[in-house]
Structures are given as structure tokens and as C-alpha cells.
Amino acid sequence: ATHRWNGARRRQPLAPAPPRHAPAARAGRFLACLLALAAGAILMLCVTLHRPEPDASAAALPRPSSPTPISGGGYAVVINTWKRYDLLKRAVAHYSVCAGVDAVHVVWSEPREPPEALRRSVLNCSRGAADVGFVMNRGNSLNNRFRPIQGLRTDAVFSVDDDLVVPCSTLRFAFGVWRSAPSAMVGFVPRIHWPADPRGNTKEYRYGSWWSVWRTGTYSMVLSKASFLHKRYLDLYTNHMLPSIRDYVTENRNCEDIAMSFLVANVTGTPPIWVQGRIFEIGSTGISSSKGHDLRRSRCLNAFASMYGHMPLVASTVKAVDSRTSWFW
């Protein structure tokens, strides 16, 4: 007999179809993984540290101990100026209101003392609680910017040119970096040195400007035109560093910043610290833009290395960055 079923067969429930947006979700997860890997790669930090052994002739050069850590306090701003009174007034007005500034000292090296009208005008530019005063010098030498200052109440000194303006927030961050390493120079303008002939045995060096730092990511100096340093280095520079180095700076009207970098590196055996931050140059171009500038700076490097008996500068690839203003942190 033939048996027929009355009605439709019972069907098994179908498996739910995958949502249409699944490929997009997978792509999103993949993109997130890529971003995570990229962020991890950016956070990798390479440090290149090298401390060369000094030659025997370096034993004659004093190597005082590093400055002791600080316990608190603010910092003094030391402005180096030369016949740019409008720029000087703007610099004093700006730095006098930055948080943490205890005093503003103007290094005066012109043949004549500042006229009373100019003195009052500069002092009246102060808009904050910081004291403002002049540091008078008889002779015109770039070494004057590193002369010890009587009555300095802070360990930290921010050395700056009269045509450079560093925003107060950026300055506050750099001061925090310096407090973590008070024996180091901490600044915004990095420079590099390297052997003139890396494959040879001759101990000659070349000076590398900003573009060399940008290309290699390496530096061994931060210029004193915008940098923090311990006040003790002012005494070491003026009273303990080789007089022949100060004589060279005076005669050539150049390289006092390189001389200070040599001094600090020779004392500490460590590199400076480059702080990333925007600074503003409000004056005209200086000697750094003149023809043959790098060649003259290279001569300074070799002259100072010869006087020291070795090359004290130490290279680094470390850069201090305020993560609050960076997209990747």
C-alpha cells in the first residue's frame, strides 16, 4: 500500500545568517590591531650612550663632583642681551610672569652702563612677582653670560637669548625635566658632533646643525641660548675651567655654548637632555645664519677637545616630550 503524509514535513530550524556588518567589524578589529602595533612601535625608545676614556693629559683638568639634587624652589632667568632694547623689554615682560620664575637677571656687556631711562623702562616691564635686575660687566665677552650672579636664590638657571621666547607652559615642563636630572643641561636647541673621518684614526670632529639632528635623531649638545643648568656650573665655567677656553671664546666671539656643553659633559660623563617644545625667535637672524658658521663651530670643537685632551661630549637619542600635548603617548 502506498502511504501518503497529509501535511508538510517538519523542517529543522535554519541557522541564523551572519550579520551583514561582520566583514566591517573584522576590518575594524584589524585596524585597531594595526594602530596598537603602531603605537607600541612609537613608544620604543633607543638610547645611545658612550663615555670615552680620557687621555692622560686630561688629568690636569679639574673634574668637580656633580651638583647635588635640589629640594625645591623655582628658577632664575638669565637673559643675554646686546643693543636690542625692544627685544629685551619684551623678554623681561614675558618671563617675569611665568610660574616658578624667582628673578630675571639681564646680563649687560655694553661699554656704557644702561641709561637711567632704559633701566627704569626695563624694570617697569616686569608684570609679575619676579625681581628684575642688571648684571653689569666691564668687558664685552660672551663669557659674561656664565659669570656667577651675586645673591642668586635658586639652584636652577634658565639661560636664554633676548630674542627667544619660550611659552610659560613649555618652560614649566622643561623645569620639571631638569628637576629630575639637576646635573644635566636641559634645553630646546640640540646640536651634534661627529668624527670628521669615522674610519680613520684622526681625532677631528665636525659640528652638525639642526638638520643633522633632524636627519639622525642624535644629539650631543643643547645650546645655552635656551637651556636649564645648575648655578654651580657658572662658578666652574668662570673660575675652574681652563682659561685658554675662555680666551678662545673672547677672541673668536663664538662658541661659549659649546664650551659650557664640554664643561657639563666633562663633569657628569652623561649627555644633555633635549626637550621637545615650540620656541619663538622674535629677532633678526644672528651669527648662526652667517656663511661659514658650521666651519667655525667645527674649529671650536677641535680646539676644545685638544685643550681637554679628549672629547667629553656624549651622544644621545633621548627626547623629553610632554605626553599631554602629544597624540601618541
Side-chain angles (χ1 to χ4, degrees):
T2 302
H3 300 281
R4 296 185 178 182
W5 294 94
N6 293 326
R9 291 185 177 179
R10 181 176 296 178
R11 298 182 179 180
Q12 297 295 327
L14 297 177
R20 295 181 179 180
H21 61 275
R26 287 195 298 270
R29 288 194 298 271
F30 180 72
L31 180 59
C33 291
L34 286 181
L35 289 175
L37 289 173
I42 292 175
L43 290 175
M44 293 179 64
L45 191 62
C46 297
V47 182
T48 303
L49 297 176
H50 174 65
R51 182 175 181 179
E53 291 296 328
D55 295 339
S57 57
L61 190 69
R63 290 180 60 93
S65 59
S66 301
T68 56
I70 59 176
S71 58
Y75 57 95
V77 176
V78 178
I79 302 175
N80 194 56
T81 188
W82 176 261
K83 294 186 177 182
R84 298 192 289 192
Y85 307 141
D86 290 339
L87 297 182
L88 174 60
K89 295 175 185 177
R90 290 178 63 181
V92 170
H94 170 71
Y95 290 113
S96 64
V97 299
C98 289
V101 175
D102 175 76
V104 177
H105 301 275
V106 178
V107 178
W108 188 268
S109 300
E110 296 184 21
R112 297 180 180 179
E113 293 191 1
E116 187 60 29
L118 174 64
R119 188 191 297 265
R120 288 198 305 268
S121 177
V122 171
L123 297 182
N124 291 335
C125 285
S126 176
R127 300 177 296 170
D131 295 334
V132 179
F134 284 78
V135 180
M136 308 304 299
N137 296 282
R138 295 180 180 179
N140 174 22
S141 171
L142 290 174
N143 292 314
N144 291 341
R145 74 182 306 162
F146 298 133
R147 290 179 62 85
I149 299 174
Q150 295 294 328
L152 199 62
R153 296 188 295 261
T154 62
D155 288 337
V157 171
F158 180 66
S159 173
V160 65
D161 286 353
D162 57 7
D163 62 344
L164 284 179
V165 171
V166 181
C168 293
S169 58
T170 303
L171 202 57
R172 183 169 60 251
F173 172 72
F175 177 54
V177 174
W178 179 85
R179 283 174 59 87
S180 69
S183 63
M185 284 189 72
V186 175
F188 300 95
V189 186
R191 294 294 185 264
I192 183 63
H193 80 286
W194 60 70
D197 183 10
R199 298 181 180 179
N201 295 323
T202 57
K203 296 182 179 180
E204 293 187 5
Y205 302 92
R206 291 180 180 175
Y207 177 85
S209 61
W210 160 246
W211 294 112
S212 300
V213 176
W214 179 83
R215 186 175 64 254
T216 63
T218 307
Y219 65 99
S220 56
M221 296 170 276
V222 290
L223 302 188
S224 56
K225 65 191 298 183
S227 65
F228 280 96
L229 67 157
H230 197 283
K231 69 177 181 181
R232 187 179 180 185
Y233 290 128
L234 304 181
D235 174 65
L236 294 180
Y237 186 100
T238 303
N239 300 317
H240 298 277
M241 190 176 68
L242 290 174
S244 56
I245 297 179
R246 293 193 298 273
D247 293 342
Y248 185 101
V249 169
T250 299
E251 293 170 4
N252 291 273
R253 293 190 57 79
N254 205 334
C255 300
E256 84 287 356
D257 46 3
I258 296 180
M260 178 57 83
S261 292
F262 267 65
L263 171 67
V264 177
N266 191 65
V267 169
T268 64
T270 58
I273 301 176
W274 171 23
V275 175
Q276 178 177 288
R278 296 187 64 187
I279 62 176
F280 301 92
E281 198 160 9
I282 58 177
S284 57
T285 55
I287 60 174
S288 61
S289 60
S290 60
K291 186 177 180 180
H293 174 69
D294 287 357
L295 178 60
R296 289 190 290 271
R297 305 279 277 183
S298 296
R299 290 172 180 167
C300 290
L301 284 173
N302 290 297
F304 296 164
S306 176
M307 295 176 192
Y308 270 81
H310 70 287
M311 168 53 73
L313 296 179
V314 181
S316 175
T317 58
V318 173
K319 179 168 62 175
V321 180
D322 189 345
S323 61
R324 295 170 299 180
T325 62
S326 300
W327 197 74
F328 285 106
W329 59 275

